[in-house]
Each structure stands twice: as structure tokens, then as C-alpha cells.
Amino acid sequence: MCGIVGIFATSPVNQSLYDALTVLQHRGQDAAGIVTEKDGMLYLRKANGLVKDVFHTRHMQRLQGNIGVGHARYPTAGCSSSAEAQPLYVNSPYGVVLAHNGNLTNQEELKKEIYEIDRRHINTNSDSEVLLNIFAHELNKTVNDIPTAEDVFSAIKAVYRRCKGGFAAIAMIVGHGMVFFRDHYGIRPLVFGKREVNGTTEYMAASESVALDILGFELVRDVKPGEAIYIDGHGYFHSRQCTPLNEPAPCIFEHVYLARPDSFMDDISVYRARLRMGEKLAEKILREWPDHDIDVVIPIPDTSTTSAVELANILNVKLRHGFVKNRYIGRTFIMPGQQIRKKSVRQKLNAIDLEFKDKNVLLIDDSIVRGTTSQQIVEMAREAGAKKVYFASAAPAVKYPNVYGIDMPSAKELIAHGRTTEEVEKLIGADKLIYQDLQDLIDSCREGNPNINRFDTSVFDGNYVTGDIDDEYLAILEDKRNDFAKSKANNIVDVDTGDSEIEDMIELHNVGEG
């Protein structure tokens, strides 16, 4: 669930990349990075931390050039080391920089191929480095001094033949252009847009359309599943369907939780999809619990607020904002360890007692994943004086790991895995728990774009759209990515950078400390 952005312009892009990353910050708070290019020279700044903390004036002044790539990271693989912060770089051929969102499900097999067949070295545990090296290796097969659009598309076709999983990527080929591409099923999001400046067309690609909006780019469309788009060194636009066109299966959890409400994904308004989620959930409550005694609906800020507004309206019950959010605490869902999550919930939210005292409250959240937040919020509502605390989720029960780039890898860490609704209800301490039905969630999103017949709903139903996930894979994934494994990995000292900071100037075919 990283945020990626790339801009091909006629004027300096450093500030634009920074601004884009600030509105994609919700997609990753572990690390941030920008690479720009000018006259065959690459300029890099990346480090652990939020965008506003990583980039200072001196860094921005160094990021020269009219073309660049940015990345906001949260780790689903590897560890929270700045060595795995992106964008990543290899010097051959030409010099290639890549920013990636997603997860390659066959990365272990690919690592072996890269070492034994491609004769390339992988220096981190990041599958992004795997994707970068495969693209670079395939691009290296071109016989032209200057890569043509056909050369680039040929390399991307080979990437699709070799790589499985969910991924969206933006790559710069130093001195020659920028390419962006999306996985076979369009699981991970990627949009592109353009704007006219003094008679010249500038291009931009990003994880979410909101990044284009704030910079004045017109949203053209989503990158299609299996499509690559190449902007060559002269600014000419090329596109190619590099795989047989599969039926799109975008990640439905983007609409539930990950994306900003002011974004469009696959021609679906995230905001309107969440309104419909609230509508469907209200209809379920009226159907299954017509004699409810709910006095007030209280959303858990911020993602669930949109759904809660529509739910309260249909139930004809007051909506009150009973929790005040500390805006300077990160999203607890993407905190790297369970202990940090537990601590941060109380730091992030504070209850307004007046809205809870002597009332039967219905709390609305976008989803329940590990249950840590839900349990503590129910406790907070009771401490604030609520008579009864009901809990509703705008999404179905999350029962299965995600393998396409969202940090919910261990089934044992999912509170609903192997449990009934009543068991989860008891664990979080609610008087009643209501989940959204899966078909209602699908209908809520599909109504925005009837041309999408399928979504990736694997976290709810265990059906993995790529068809390559089995119990053995999930067991290996769980061992590598559970909270204990992450805590152990993140205790390793980063001996390469020491201060968890990377600030390099990369010259074509040469890397030197900045």
C-alpha cells in the first residue's frame, strides 16, 4: 500500500513531486523518497519518516530536473530500514530508477532466477528491487543505443511473463523517458493525467487521482491491467497492451479503507462508494434489527465518516462526532508492530463524554482487521458513559491474509479468522456487532462502474485472483511477515547509513556519496 508518483514536465518537478507525496502520505508513513534527473545526472533524497520530515529546503534545492519519481513507503516485506526506501536505482542499462507499489507473489523464485540466470545481485529483502532488476535485465537485451518504444514494451512484456502478483510501478530510464505499468489484473491502482503548458504536454502518473488534482493535471484514465505507457525523451506518448487483456479485478479494500475519499479509482468515486456502503449497511440493520434502540451513530474517524453519514440518515438517527482525532499520529492499521498499535490508539483518539453519556451508541468503522483498535474504542465509549455500545463495520469480516501489498499477512493476527461474528463481538466487548455483507460491498463499488464485474476480495473470501496462492505459500508468508518477524527484522541496525538517511547524487553509471 505504498504511494507512487512520476512527472514528466518542462519545468522543475521537485516541488510538484513533494506536493504529490504529501497527499499520498496516507498510503505509507515509513519512508519517503524522490529522484529527479537533469542532463543525465540523477539526484536522490530518501529517508525514513514522513514526507515533511524527510525533505528540507537543502534537499529540495538539490533535486534538479524536469522529470522525476517519488515514493511514500510502508513495509509489507523486508523491514523498516532506509536501505529499502524507494525509489531504487540500477546503473545498467542506461540507468534505471523505479518506484513500486504492491507485492510480487513469486519473488523467491525470481530472486533465484536473477542470481543464477540473469547474473544480477539483490541487496535487500524488497521485492521492488526484484522488479527493478528484472525490468533492467530485459531492457538490457535491446540492441539500440537509444531505446525505442518497441524496446521498452518488449522489456515490459518480459516483466509480465516473469512476474506474478499485484503491482503498479513507475520507472525512469535515464536520458530516455519514463514508463508506468500495472499488473495483469489491475489489483494495485495507477492513474495518469496530462496538462498543457506553453503548447507542450506534460504527463503525470500516480497511485490516486487526488495527486493529479492538486497539481492541475487532467485525469485521463486508469492505466489498464497489463498495459504499459511510455513517455519518450522527446515527450511523445506511447501505450501498449503488453499482456492479453484480463478481466480487471481491482482491490476492493482500496475503496473500504486505503484510498482518500476524493480520489477516483477505475472510474469509481471512492466517496460515493463509501456513501453506498453506509446505505447498504443501514438497510441490513433495518432488515435484521428493525426494533433497534440506537440513540446516536458515531463514526470512528476518518475513513468511516462518509459511510456513517448515510447510515445515520437512513436510520433516522442522530450522527455525532464523538471522537476527536489527533492529526499528528499515523494510521494505526499500518503501524509496524502490535505493541505500537495498542499504544497509538489512545494517543490518536479521545472521546467527548457528552456524546456518549447514558446513550446507546452505534460505532461505525470502515473495517475490523486485527481488532486492536475496535476493542480499545469500545472500552473508551463505555468509559465515556455509554449505556450500550454497538459496533458496525462498513466491510465484511476480514478473515484471510492479503498477498498483494497490504499489511495483513498473518491469518492468526486477524481477529475474524476462524471465528464467528458472535465470537468477535465478545472479543471486542461490543453489545452487538454488524458486518457488511460481501455482495453489498461489491454492489456499492460496482455501481460506480458497471463495467467492472470482478474485484479482488481475497481478504474477505480467500479467493486470490492470480490463481497462484496455496496453503504452503500462505504458511511461508506468515512466518516471514507476522508481527514477531517484523519486530525482529526492525531491530537490525542499518550499518550502511547509520543515521537512517540516504542523500546521494547519482551520476550516470556511477554512484557517489552526496
Side-chain angles (χ1 to χ4, degrees):
M1 194 194 89
C2 299
I4 60 175
V5 57
I7 300 177
F8 191 107
T10 57
S11 58
V13 295
N14 52 356
Q15 186 64 51
S16 294
L17 289 168
Y18 175 91
D19 292 342
L21 288 180
T22 61
V23 298
L24 297 175
Q25 183 74 87
H26 60 286
R27 300 189 66 86
Q29 301 162 10
D30 180 64
I34 291 175
V35 174
T36 59
E37 181 213 335
K38 182 179 181 182
D39 299 328
M41 189 84 76
L42 292 176
Y43 299 89
L44 163 67
R45 167 63 183 175
K46 60 181 179 179
N48 281 1
L50 300 176
V51 174
K52 67 180 180 62
D53 298 321
V54 170
F55 301 100
H56 302 151
T57 301
R58 68 182 187 276
H59 307 128
M60 298 301 291
Q61 290 172 341
R62 287 170 47 84
L63 294 170
Q64 304 175 43
N66 302 341
I67 179 173
V69 175
H71 188 272
R73 179 182 190 255
Y74 99 111
T76 53
C79 62
S80 298
S81 162
S82 60
E84 296 187 7
Q86 298 184 38
L88 300 174
Y89 166 81
V90 291
N91 67 356
S92 175
Y94 314 111
V96 181
V97 174
L98 180 136
H100 163 234
N101 171 35
N103 180 57
L104 303 183
T105 55
N106 63 333
Q107 64 170 306
E108 295 304 321
E109 172 189 334
L110 293 172
K111 284 180 181 178
K112 188 176 180 180
E113 286 182 10
I114 289 170
Y115 180 76
E116 296 179 354
I117 301 174
D118 298 352
R119 296 290 190 257
R120 285 177 172 265
H121 175 69
I122 300 297
N123 200 49
T124 70
N125 292 318
S126 171
D127 60 337
S128 303
E129 189 183 11
V130 172
L131 182 62
L132 169 61
N133 274 274
I134 288 177
F135 174 55
H137 176 77
E138 298 298 338
L139 189 62
N140 199 39
K141 294 179 180 179
T142 177
V143 297
N144 297 305
D145 293 334
I146 299 175
T148 65
E150 289 301 319
D151 293 329
V152 173
F153 292 140
S154 178
I156 295 294
K157 286 179 180 179
V159 169
Y160 281 124
R161 285 196 297 270
R162 298 178 65 177
C163 296
K164 299 177 182 178
F167 54 88
I170 301 172
M172 282 196 305
I173 306 169
V174 177
H176 300 297
M178 175 179 289
V179 59
F180 28 99
F181 54 97
R182 193 178 178 196
D183 63 75
H184 308 71
Y185 295 93
I187 299 170
R188 297 267 63 86
L190 189 62
V191 299
F192 76 94
K194 64 180 181 179
R195 67 182 179 189
E196 299 299 322
V197 178
N198 298 324
T200 302
T201 303
E202 298 181 338
Y203 293 95
M204 177 178 176
S207 297
E208 296 186 30
S209 62
V210 64
L212 279 64
D213 296 340
I214 67 158
L215 295 175
F217 280 81
E218 173 195 354
L219 173 63
V220 175
R221 59 176 172 85
D222 296 82
V223 178
K224 298 174 184 177
E227 179 188 24
I229 292 174
Y230 178 53
I231 313 300
D232 67 27
H234 301 289
Y236 294 121
F237 177 94
H238 310 266
S239 68
R240 179 70 53 84
Q241 186 64 39
C242 293
T243 70
L245 188 58
N246 291 310
E247 182 180 34
C251 175
I252 204 165
F253 210 73
E254 290 280 355
H255 294 278
V256 170
Y257 174 82
L258 303 182
R260 279 179 46 142
D262 45 347
S263 286
F264 277 79
M265 289 181 169
D266 298 289
D267 287 333
I268 300 170
S269 163
V270 176
Y271 173 76
R272 290 190 176 276
R274 288 178 183 166
L275 282 177
R276 290 189 288 268
M277 290 175 207
E279 177 184 340
K280 299 287 187 182
L281 194 55
E283 290 171 354
K284 178 177 181 178
I285 291 173
L286 290 174
R287 183 173 63 250
E288 298 183 358
W289 190 20
D291 57 343
H292 70 80
D293 58 351
I294 301 166
D295 296 319
V296 62
V297 172
I298 296 179
I300 298 169
D302 283 311
T303 321
S304 64
T305 302
T306 306
S307 297
V309 168
E310 192 67 7
L311 180 143
N313 182 52
I314 292 175
L315 292 183
N316 195 26
V317 173
K318 293 179 181 178
L319 175 77
R320 291 290 185 265
H321 296 282
F323 291 106
V324 176
K325 183 177 181 180
N326 180 353
R327 303 291 173 181
Y328 302 98
I329 295 292
R331 300 176 92 174
T332 53
F333 175 76
I334 60 176
M335 293 290 180
Q338 186 75 348
Q339 292 304 316
I340 299 176
R341 289 188 202 101
K342 287 182 178 179
K343 180 180 179 182
S344 63
V345 172
R346 293 272 180 171
Q347 293 175 334
K348 185 174 73 170
L349 295 176
N350 190 46
I352 301 174
D353 292 2
L354 291 173
E355 298 297 353
F356 291 88
K357 190 171 178 58
D358 299 325
K359 296 177 183 176
N360 298 332
V361 300
L362 175 63
L363 303 178
I364 306 292
D365 208 349
D366 52 77
S367 59
I368 304 172
V369 181
R370 291 171 171 89
T372 308
T373 301
S374 306
Q375 183 182 43
Q376 293 190 56
I377 288 175
V378 169
E379 290 176 2
M380 291 169 66
R382 294 198 188 281
E383 290 169 4
K387 286 196 301 183
K388 293 182 180 179
V389 181
Y390 307 125
F391 204 102
S393 168
V398 176
K399 296 183 176 182
Y400 302 94
N402 183 276
V403 300
Y404 301 126
I406 305 176
D407 186 23
M408 49 176 78
S410 173
K412 293 177 182 177
E413 293 167 3
L414 303 174
I415 192 171
H417 180 74
R419 294 188 176 99
T420 65
T421 299
E422 291 73 22
E423 288 171 331
V424 176
E425 176 182 286
K426 185 175 181 180
L427 284 172
I428 67 173
D431 292 295
K432 188 175 184 64
L433 172 61
I434 306 102
Y435 280 116
Q436 182 86 267
D437 291 336
L438 179 56
Q439 189 58 53
D440 283 344
L441 175 62
I442 293 171
D443 292 344
S444 296
C445 296
R446 189 171 179 268
E447 188 175 330
N449 183 357
N451 293 322
I452 296 180
N453 296 312
R454 184 184 187 190
F455 290 90
D456 169 50
T457 57
S458 55
V459 298
F460 306 120
D461 59 14
N463 295 322
Y464 297 95
V465 297
T466 53
D468 60 334
I469 307 302
D470 55 21
D471 291 341
E472 181 182 0
Y473 178 91
L474 294 175
I476 294 171
L477 190 73
E478 181 170 330
D479 288 341
K480 288 185 175 182
R481 299 193 193 174
N482 60 41
D483 278 338
F484 176 77
K486 286 180 183 177
S487 298
K488 186 176 180 180
N490 288 326
N491 284 332
I492 298 174
V493 177
D494 188 347
V495 295
D496 294 324
T497 60
D499 59 354
S500 296
E501 189 170 293
I502 300 175
E503 184 178 356
D504 295 336
M505 178 177 68
I506 307 176
E507 191 173 351
L508 190 59
H509 305 304
N510 185 35
V511 179
E513 287 295 324

